[in-house]
């Protein structure tokens, strides 16, 4: 069964564990990031918005005991605490000088693949 809810093509996806539950995180050319229950396909929470271009990449990590969702679209990188977290003080928008094509994260380091090369961001 397809997970439905985006109003455009899904352009990025990852699977993760959020608050002890298997989840799918997806990004779309509708400029939103959505979270889904992996078992049922039901949406969890409200979509993340704030991208000014289609979302090209998403990743999830744990930072100081809280899940963090990182998404990239155009020149914009959005770092957001998972809404079920105890705190929501980690929201951050970073604008790069080159479009972000892909990203990966480990611990506190985000690696962004851009048209100009790899950019590392440490939280």
């Amino acid at each position: 069964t397809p997970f439905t809810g985006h109003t455009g093509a899904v352009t990025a996806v990852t699977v993760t564990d959020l608050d002890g539950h298997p989840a799918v995180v997806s990004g779309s050319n509708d400029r939103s990031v959505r979270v889904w229950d992996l078992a049922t396909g039901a949406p969890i929470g409200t979509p993340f918005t704030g991208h000014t271009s289609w979302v090209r990449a998403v990743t999830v990590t744990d930072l100081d005991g809280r899940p963090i969702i990182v998404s990239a679209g155009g020149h914009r990188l959005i770092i957001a605490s998972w809404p079920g977290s105890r705190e929501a003080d980690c929201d951050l928008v970073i604008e790069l000088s080159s479009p972000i094509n892909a990203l990966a994260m480990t611990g506190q380091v985000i690696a962004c693949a851009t048209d100009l090369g790899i950019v590392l961001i440490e939280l």
Side-chain angles (χ1 to χ4, degrees), residues 19 46 48 63-69 78-93:
D19 294 335
T46 57
F48 291 87
L63 185 62
D64 298 327
R66 4 171 230 201
I68 303 294
I69 296 175
I78 294 180
I79 303 164
S81 296
W82 170 241
S85 300
R86 295 177 306 280
E87 302 173 33
D89 61 350
C90 195
D91 293 344
L92 179 64
V93 175

Side-chain angles (χ1 to χ4, degrees), residues 1-122:
T1 304
F3 295 17
T4 57
H6 282 293
T7 59
V10 175
T11 52
V13 66
T14 191
V15 293
T16 189
D17 184 78
L18 291 175
D19 294 335
H21 303 287
V24 175
V25 179
S26 61
S28 169
N29 68 7
D30 67 8
R31 302 182 310 219
S32 73
V33 174
R34 294 176 180 262
V35 180
W36 314 88
D37 181 287
L38 181 63
T40 67
I44 301 172
T46 57
F48 291 87
T49 57
H51 281 288
T52 56
S53 181
W54 56 280
V55 179
R56 294 180 180 209
V58 293
T59 190
V60 180
T61 194
D62 184 79
L63 185 62
D64 298 327
R66 4 171 230 201
I68 303 294
I69 296 175
V70 181
S71 56
H75 296 251
R76 182 170 283 189
L77 186 70
I78 294 180
I79 303 164
S81 296
W82 170 241
S85 300
R86 295 177 306 280
E87 302 173 33
D89 61 350
C90 195
D91 293 344
L92 179 64
V93 175
I94 299 171
E95 296 281 345
L96 300 182
S97 60
S98 181
I100 304 163
N101 301 312
L103 61 89
M105 185 166 187
T106 184
Q108 296 184 352
V109 178
I110 304 168
C112 301
T114 73
D115 290 353
L116 301 177
I118 297 171
V119 174
L120 298 179
I121 298 168
E122 188 170 351

